[in-house]
Amino acid sequence: MIRILYAGDNRTMAYAASELSRYLEKVSGTPEFGEICPVDKLPAQPAAGEILLGLLDELACTPFDITDPELEDAEDICIRGGSGYIAGSNPRSVLFGVYDYFKSMGCSWVRPGDGGEHLVSCDPMTHDFTYRKKADTLFRGECLEGAVKYEHLRAAVEWAPKVHMNLTMIQGIVPYNFMSRWYRHRVSTVRPPEDIGYDGVAGLISLLEQDIARVGLQL
């Protein structure tokens, strides 16, 4: 069992903790292997069986050469035998670090959705990983295109931090043309048309903006 500690009410930090817990359970094959423990303030050092999630200055990490920590992504990870920390210049970078921890075990995410997920079996209590990295480029992301539905976009947003993307772009405040192409199914021989209307698309984009904020991407 590993206890996952983070402080504050930032939604991306909370999401990083939930992803760490979720994948610890998957790779270990043990239910509730990662216990999420929100705290008011992070301890100076992790106890045995604890992983701390926090910002670089919260965990007194060696600073990076960073001008704008909201834009520039950097991560510092040191986990030995199920104890240690994952720190970042911003909450999004902490989420990057969570996925990098599992990549060091051999896991990968090659495309959006569960079908693009490749996980391995690993005992986190015997796995060590030390890593420091500042992103090589400032902006890394993708743009909404083509014919898409909300579930496509949500899957892409959740996949983006797994491959170190830090932004996403929506073409237009309400991308009605791109989404109506999917829902109308004009060239489909099996799907009946669904015209959800401009307001329906606007409502789905509002949900997507919440997804984007949850994973910490720049919009």
Side-chain angles (χ1 to χ4, degrees):
M1 176 72 73
I2 291 176
R3 299 175 72 242
I4 302 165
L5 278 64
Y6 73 96
D9 58 359
N10 180 273
R11 73 177 81 177
T12 304
M13 197 71 77
Y15 181 68
S18 70
E19 287 291 88
L20 178 55
S21 175
R22 183 164 74 97
Y23 283 109
L24 281 172
E25 180 175 322
K26 288 190 173 188
V27 300
S28 68
T30 304
E32 300 180 359
F33 190 88
E35 179 187 7
I36 300 174
C37 304
V39 295
D40 293 331
K41 183 178 180 180
L42 290 173
Q45 296 292 332
E50 286 184 350
I51 295 179
L52 310 182
L53 304 183
L55 300 180
L56 294 167
D57 55 355
E58 282 184 293
L59 295 172
C61 296
T62 303
F64 288 82
D65 180 17
I66 287 177
T67 302
D68 189 339
E70 292 299 315
L71 293 180
E72 297 179 76
D73 296 303
E75 55 190 282
D76 187 329
I77 306 168
C78 183
I79 300 176
R80 299 183 181 278
S83 304
Y85 65 84
I86 299 175
S89 53
N90 51 56
R92 175 181 62 245
S93 297
V94 176
L95 183 58
F96 290 168
V98 167
Y99 296 129
D100 284 336
Y101 173 51
F102 292 105
K103 288 176 186 176
S104 73
M105 298 179 186
C107 301
S108 60
W109 293 270
V110 297
R111 62 180 181 275
D114 292 341
E117 182 174 272
H118 172 73
L119 303 180
V120 300
S121 296
C122 181
D123 180 1
M125 305 308 288
T126 64
H127 182 73
D128 298 341
F129 181 50
T130 302
Y131 183 70
R132 272 178 62 88
K133 174 69 177 178
K134 177 183 174 183
D136 295 323
T137 56
L138 190 58
F139 300 115
R140 309 172 307 281
E142 62 179 355
C143 179
L144 181 158
E145 285 282 2
V148 293
K149 63 178 180 177
Y150 165 69
E151 288 79 7
H152 293 151
L153 299 174
R154 181 182 62 195
V157 162
E158 292 177 346
W159 176 70
K162 294 171 180 172
V163 292
H164 284 207
M165 292 191 198
N166 66 354
L167 62 86
T168 188
M169 176 179 169
I170 297 173
Q171 293 207 58
I173 302 300
V174 177
Y176 176 75
N177 288 339
F178 298 105
M179 298 191 74
S180 66
R181 284 184 192 140
W182 171 269
Y183 288 103
R184 287 180 175 178
H185 304 303
R186 284 183 173 175
V187 297
S188 176
T189 59
V190 295
R191 294 180 182 271
E194 306 171 65
D195 188 359
I196 63 174
Y198 187 90
D199 289 343
V201 172
L204 294 176
I205 290 301
S206 179
L207 292 177
L208 183 67
E209 290 175 348
Q210 295 177 46
D211 298 325
I212 292 168
R214 172 168 47 87
V215 303
L217 294 180
Q218 300 170 70
L219 173 59

